[in-house]
Amino acid sequence: MTATTTETTTHDRILDAIRRHTASENPSSFLALNSGNSVFTVPGADGAVVYRRTGRWAVQFGGPFAAEEDYGTLLNAFRAHVRGEGLNLVGVQLQRTDAERYAGRGFTVNQVGASWAVSLDGFTLRGTKFMQLRNKISRAHRNGLTIHEADAADVGEAIATIDRAWLGSKGGAQQLEFLVGQIGGAAQAHRRLFVGTIDGAPVAYISYSPVYGSRAGWMHDLSRRIPEGSPGLMEAINAHAVEVFRTEGVEWLHFGFTPFTGLDAAHELDGHSAAFQWLMHALWAEGAALYPAQTQLSYKQKWAPDVTIPEYVAFDGPQASLPGFAHIFRACNAF
């Protein structure tokens, strides 16, 4: 058996794979199309593995996007390929079905966080539980916010202006990659972009990526705002997008993966690392410097998600690896 790799994403093959092979129900699967990813395939096998190499690690995104009969073939071949290259393997954002398969092959698998989804069937912001959310949205509109869906090619300068302001407010932080969406490139035609302006000046945007599978819909993905902007900018843009989606008959809005959130002992698999489980809880409580999980979750919970989807990390070996975990963040350009 011969395996092949490419240094950049093979767009059409990956798009076809994530559309057709939805057994793992990964709501973030569209991120496989991010530029900078590498793709592993096996001749004759229907599907692909997406990953990035950082140092001596291969960081795999999700499980293989593959036909049921070829899932094991791709996973086994990719594992052998990584070992043959003298690398270590860690997989992140595995779904429960992926996690069980990896654990069955001797990986150490732990819950690393969760993603969140809202059913749009009958969704409304009426009622007392959304009172504060409605107030923030109203305030943004009173401050002059207008929202429109835009073609990314037409608002590139506006997006760049918002990005510069947002990153500048983070002390010159780097743009995150890999587990975060992008704007532009070959995949942009499949995304949707909503932009907010006040007095004609761009102040915020949200990019939405398609989600496939039984909870098909859109994922609230990359979002930015100017730091000195009106309260409620992101909430107002998302509320506007929700109404657009509902009129189109979209059934689900996903809020994507947030590490360290939704942790529950009931989600752990046999053979998980107790020490790593403890670390995830510690990072939820005290890890804001690494990732602002509590802030991210607070925003998502404003929309009263109907579904919490546990997500997993898998280390190739009998124990969890702190260097492997660190290389996930390195692949994301977090440090």
Side-chain angles (χ1 to χ4, degrees), residues 295-311:
T295 300
Q296 291 289 318
L297 182 58
S298 176
Y299 173 78
K300 296 175 183 184
Q301 288 183 328
K302 291 178 182 179
W303 304 91
D306 297 288
V307 178
T308 303
I309 306 167
E311 304 210 12

Side-chain angles (χ1 to χ4, degrees), residues 94 99 102-103 107-111 268-269 271-273 312-315:
L94 303 180
Y102 280 62
F107 284 77
T108 299
V109 180
N110 274 71
Q111 187 187 5
E268 299 288 6
L269 279 67
H272 70 276
S273 166
Y312 296 85
V313 60
F315 302 94

Side-chain angles (χ1 to χ4, degrees), residues 26 144 148 182 199 225 237 241 260 269 277 316:
N26 191 331
H148 67 285
Q182 300 175 330
D199 296 330
R225 63 177 178 83
I237 293 173
F260 323 140
L269 279 67
Q277 182 184 23
D316 187 5

Side-chain angles (χ1 to χ4, degrees), residues 16 22 58 76-77 86 167 210 220 251 281-282 299 323:
D16 178 67
T22 58
N76 293 339
L167 290 170
H220 182 307
E251 296 184 354
H281 285 273
Y299 173 78

Side-chain angles (χ1 to χ4, degrees), residues 153-228:
D154 297 332
V155 292
E157 184 175 341
I159 297 302
T161 297
I162 296 169
D163 283 350
R164 283 193 298 269
W166 187 88
L167 290 170
S169 73
K170 305 297 181 182
Q174 298 296 311
Q175 188 82 273
L176 294 180
E177 302 176 358
F178 192 44
L179 303 185
V180 179
Q182 300 175 330
I183 294 178
Q188 185 57 40
H190 307 286
R191 303 186 187 100
R192 299 179 72 167
L193 178 65
F194 291 81
V195 179
T197 61
I198 294 180
D199 296 330
V203 293
Y205 68 84
I206 303 177
S207 174
Y208 297 85
S209 298
V211 177
Y212 308 103
S214 63
R215 297 192 187 104
W218 294 94
M219 183 176 75
H220 182 307
D221 193 5
L222 189 64
S223 58
R224 299 283 187 267
R225 63 177 178 83
I226 58 172
E228 68 275 14

Side-chain angles (χ1 to χ4, degrees), residues 50-68:
V50 175
Y51 70 102
R52 289 196 181 192
R53 177 173 173 172
T54 65
R56 302 305 302 170
W57 288 82
V59 183
Q60 182 184 353
F61 170 66
F65 301 102
E68 176 65 29

Side-chain angles (χ1 to χ4, degrees), residues 14-294:
I14 295 300
L15 181 59
D16 178 67
I18 63 176
R19 280 174 167 171
R20 292 193 297 113
H21 305 316
T22 58
S24 70
E25 295 287 334
N26 191 331
S28 298
S29 61
F30 196 80
L31 300 184
L33 289 162
N34 280 358
S35 60
N37 290 343
S38 293
V39 181
F40 176 91
T41 60
V42 174
D46 183 3
V49 172
V50 175
Y51 70 102
R52 289 196 181 192
R53 177 173 173 172
T54 65
R56 302 305 302 170
W57 288 82
V59 183
Q60 182 184 353
F61 170 66
F65 301 102
E68 176 65 29
E69 62 272 18
D70 291 319
Y71 185 104
T73 297
L74 277 161
L75 175 53
N76 293 339
F78 180 62
R79 187 184 197 183
H81 170 76
V82 169
R83 290 177 172 179
E85 292 289 306
L87 304 177
N88 301 294
L89 173 60
V90 59
V92 67
Q93 280 202 253
L94 303 180
Q95 304 304 293
R96 177 72 186 205
T97 54
D98 298 310
E100 292 171 351
R101 294 184 182 200
Y102 280 62
R105 286 171 167 79
F107 284 77
T108 299
V109 180
N110 274 71
Q111 187 187 5
V112 69
S115 60
W116 311 80
V118 173
S119 172
L120 297 186
D121 183 18
F123 179 82
T124 176
L125 289 179
R126 294 191 296 270
T128 57
K129 70 177 178 180
F130 291 119
M131 183 182 300
Q132 291 185 342
L133 181 57
R134 292 197 306 272
N135 288 340
K136 293 194 73 172
I137 293 169
S138 296
R139 185 172 178 182
H141 285 298
R142 288 197 303 271
N143 288 336
L145 178 68
T146 61
I147 304 163
H148 67 285
E149 186 169 4
D151 186 321
D154 297 332
V155 292
E157 184 175 341
I159 297 302
T161 297
I162 296 169
D163 283 350
R164 283 193 298 269
W166 187 88
L167 290 170
S169 73
K170 305 297 181 182
Q174 298 296 311
Q175 188 82 273
L176 294 180
E177 302 176 358
F178 192 44
L179 303 185
V180 179
Q182 300 175 330
I183 294 178
Q188 185 57 40
H190 307 286
R191 303 186 187 100
R192 299 179 72 167
L193 178 65
F194 291 81
V195 179
T197 61
I198 294 180
D199 296 330
V203 293
Y205 68 84
I206 303 177
S207 174
Y208 297 85
S209 298
V211 177
Y212 308 103
S214 63
R215 297 192 187 104
W218 294 94
M219 183 176 75
H220 182 307
D221 193 5
L222 189 64
S223 58
R224 299 283 187 267
R225 63 177 178 83
I226 58 172
E228 68 275 14
S230 166
L233 293 177
M234 309 313 300
E235 291 86 349
I237 293 173
N238 191 54
H240 176 92
V242 164
E243 287 309 304
V244 171
F245 297 153
R246 289 187 67 246
T247 62
E248 296 170 348
V250 174
E251 296 184 354
W252 289 93
L253 176 65
H254 295 260
F255 282 91
F257 169 65
T258 305
F260 323 140
T261 65
L263 302 173
D264 189 328
H267 296 324
E268 299 288 6
L269 279 67
D270 291 342
H272 70 276
S273 166
F276 191 85
Q277 182 184 23
W278 176 89
L279 176 62
M280 294 302 95
H281 285 273
L283 289 173
W284 161 251
E286 305 292 344
L290 180 62
Y291 189 85
Q294 294 192 21

